[in-house]
Amino acid sequence: MRLLLVEDEDAIAIPLADGLRREGFEVERVATAADALSAPEPDLVLLDLRLPDMDGYAVAREMRTRSRVPIIMVTARGEEVDRVVGLEIGADDYVVKPFGLRELIARINAVMRRVGDARDPAGPADDLAAGPLTMSLRTRRVTQGEDDLHLTPREFDILAMLMQDPGAVVSRDDILRRLWGTTWAVQTKAIDVHVSSLRRKLGDPAWVETVRGVGFRLAVPEA
Ligand code: CA
């Protein structure tokens, strides 16, 4: 598996790249946003948010315009507000410095498993539908009537969970476990960011009903 490590600080990047290589990853390390954006597409990007030539959000946004490559953002402690912004622009996960190699590898594996599951053509229900909404898990395409909906990877994954069983409640813990591989590391607030963005894109907030204290369910609004 090929990782692109975008990190300007040698003191972090060099031991991290060495550790990941020892674990069997192929690692290409770059120190600037410009080099990150001109590198060949890897299987996953580890993206530091503080780069000398451009901030990490701008890099992630630019990457998202051309691919769905999984992105794990690397933040410094205390950047809580920024985490939410990052999730909104389509980062797949976060690690907060300082982190251990084991933790990082667990996150990488969780993200790749999720991406792999979503792309797996042998899945039981390949195409989902609810009212005018259709979703292909294989191509990750979502349509509403005649229109294509352009969802971030997180929005897609949340909608997929809701569409698996329209009307059934999907709990916040299930979403955290499924999307982030944990119920601990990510603030539950991040889910609200994705859900509100999803509601905006669906054009009617009634599509995703909040079940207080539990989670969400899909409700096809009256036409
Ligand atoms: Ca940095």
Side-chain angles (χ1 to χ4, degrees), residues 7-9 48 50:
E7 169 64 72
D8 58 312
E9 283 167 70
D48 179 36
R50 300 274 172 263

Side-chain angles (χ1 to χ4, degrees), residues 2-176:
R2 291 169 308 114
L3 299 180
L4 178 64
L5 170 61
V6 187
E7 169 64 72
D8 58 312
E9 283 167 70
D10 285 348
I12 295 171
I14 292 171
L16 182 56
D18 286 348
L20 288 166
R21 286 189 188 110
R22 272 197 304 274
E23 295 296 325
F25 294 94
E26 262 179 67
V27 182
E28 179 177 0
R29 183 257 170 140
V30 295
T32 64
D35 286 346
L37 291 171
S38 59
E41 185 171 320
D43 297 313
L44 184 142
V45 181
L46 290 173
L47 180 61
D48 179 36
L49 285 182
R50 300 274 172 263
L51 296 166
D53 52 340
M54 199 195 262
D55 81 59
Y57 302 114
V59 176
R61 206 174 281 123
E62 177 63 30
M63 285 178 170
R64 271 289 164 267
T65 64
R66 46 192 189 185
S67 94
R68 289 198 176 278
V69 62
I71 299 172
I72 296 181
M73 288 193 157
V74 181
T75 71
R77 248 186 223 301
E79 292 179 334
E80 294 299 323
V81 175
D82 297 356
R83 293 162 66 109
V84 175
V85 175
L87 289 172
E88 198 166 33
I89 61 180
D92 294 270
D93 205 354
Y94 277 94
V95 287
V96 179
K97 290 178 196 173
F99 51 83
L101 188 61
R102 288 286 137 219
E103 178 192 353
L104 178 64
I105 290 172
R107 298 298 187 85
I108 291 172
N109 288 337
V111 166
M112 293 311 288
R113 205 161 40 237
R114 208 172 60 233
V115 171
D117 285 350
R119 283 181 189 158
D120 182 3
D126 213 19
D127 292 301
L128 304 174
L133 274 187
T134 68
M135 166 181 281
S136 163
L137 296 177
R138 192 172 62 81
T139 62
R140 293 182 73 86
R141 184 170 175 216
V142 183
T143 60
Q144 188 174 30
E146 300 293 300
D147 303 324
D148 272 307
L149 291 187
H150 301 284
L151 305 182
T152 65
R154 293 291 201 201
E155 291 159 9
F156 181 95
D157 291 340
I158 291 172
L159 183 60
M161 291 182 76
L162 294 168
M163 285 182 71
Q164 295 280 356
D165 191 359
V169 179
V170 176
S171 75
R172 287 171 172 275
D173 278 358
D174 284 346
I175 295 174
L176 287 173

